[in-house]
Amino acid sequence: LVDAYVNRPALSLAAGTRRNYRTQLNAISKIVDPEGHSFEFTPLDEKSGYVPYTAEEMDRFRRWAVFQRAEGRRLRGMMMLACCAGAGCRAREIGILTHKDIVDTGNGFEIHIGGATPRVVPLLAEWEEWMAEILSVRPRNQTLWGKPKGSRANNLLSSFTQYSDGQPPHGGRLRNTWLLRLLELRVPLTDLYYAAGAQKLEHLGRLARHLPLLDPTEYQKTLRGEVNR
């Protein structure tokens, strides 16, 4: 029960805070049930980043976005998912996107991301319908997100989600869900780093733990150099 509690996504707590909670609850449990301590806790690694969302969780967040009661919140929820899980945008990057930064190439959308790490990222195909709807209704004389509630760009998403209906996703975990998707697609590392706007991704190896292995035939062909990617 202690392990299940401290690993609940709904807590939205850093690994260090979860570890402190676990330590205190575990001390109580040793008094209440001295014989029940053979269980091995799930590791809480502060450097592991945010765990990617599963397909089931993403389906739930799609419903979360579209069922927001206010139209503005619905569009922002859709934009949060499309930009973070569809193009790996950071919170501060979403807030400055305008109509001209979303380019319809005729073969999908390209997101022209500005800020400290400017880059062009193709939007994952599964989010194209949502992006098209956002572009069709948002005014062209302002940013797509609109005027944020807070003044700090890095808090753009958290300032929005704390007032949203239901249990919201976390921007960092959505971005890692996108990164994992690119790993599943076997995107070359140089292109992955460029698209992510990062010179290094220290947690990439930890993300790879969630990556399924190739089947034996594909594995053999790939490592023999028979597959062109």
Side-chain angles (χ1 to χ4, degrees):
L1 288 174
V2 171
D3 191 68
Y5 173 71
V6 299
N7 283 287
R8 285 180 63 224
L11 283 179
S12 298
L13 299 175
T17 305
R18 293 173 186 267
R19 187 177 290 107
N20 289 335
Y21 280 20
R22 187 177 69 184
T23 299
Q24 295 178 43
L25 291 170
N26 195 41
I28 296 172
S29 72
K30 287 181 178 178
I31 297 172
V32 175
D33 183 16
E35 304 300 322
H37 284 274
S38 59
F39 182 78
E40 184 175 342
F41 286 110
T42 302
L44 291 172
D45 186 353
E46 292 181 76
K47 296 183 179 180
S48 65
Y50 298 104
V51 178
Y53 288 118
T54 64
E56 291 76 15
E57 288 173 319
M58 289 303 300
D59 285 341
R60 178 163 60 84
F61 292 133
R62 285 175 181 270
R63 293 192 295 273
W64 164 82
V66 298
F67 288 120
Q68 293 296 307
R69 286 174 290 180
E71 177 67 1
R73 290 183 186 175
R74 184 182 74 88
L75 290 171
R76 285 182 172 179
M78 291 171 63
M79 189 171 177
M80 178 180 179
L81 289 176
C83 291
C84 292
C89 293
R90 301 178 179 89
R92 62 180 181 271
E93 296 168 338
I94 295 175
I96 61 175
L97 289 174
T98 64
H99 275 267
K100 67 180 179 61
D101 297 317
I102 315 298
V103 178
D104 187 348
T105 67
N107 190 32
F109 289 105
E110 285 182 346
I111 314 298
H112 291 242
I113 301 172
T117 53
R119 59 202 187 275
V120 177
V121 182
L123 183 70
L124 285 174
E126 63 190 271
W127 299 103
E128 289 174 359
E129 185 177 346
W130 277 24
M131 184 58 70
E133 179 177 348
I134 293 167
L135 294 173
S136 70
V137 297
R138 294 298 296 161
R140 302 186 71 86
N141 61 347
Q142 58 180 261
T143 62
L144 290 171
W145 185 265
K147 187 177 181 180
K149 285 184 175 293
S151 58
R152 295 181 60 185
N154 288 342
N155 294 339
L156 180 83
L157 298 180
S158 58
S159 297
F160 159 63
T161 56
Q162 68 177 320
Y163 298 109
S164 66
D165 303 316
Q167 183 59 47
H170 188 283
R173 291 187 67 184
L174 290 174
R175 176 173 156 87
N176 276 358
T177 303
W178 169 78
L179 280 169
L180 182 62
R181 178 63 180 142
L182 297 192
L183 288 173
E184 290 173 343
L185 294 172
R186 269 45 182 191
V187 172
L189 282 179
T190 50
D191 298 291
L192 181 73
Y193 277 61
Y194 167 75
Q199 295 182 342
K200 60 179 181 179
L201 294 169
E202 295 179 347
H203 62 295
L204 203 58
R206 297 182 179 91
L207 282 178
R209 298 174 185 172
H210 304 276
L211 188 66
L213 294 173
L214 297 171
D215 66 71
T217 301
E218 187 75 4
Y219 174 81
Q220 183 186 41
K221 289 182 178 180
T222 300
L223 270 68
R224 280 175 51 84
E226 298 178 37
V227 178
N228 292 321
R229 295 187 179 279

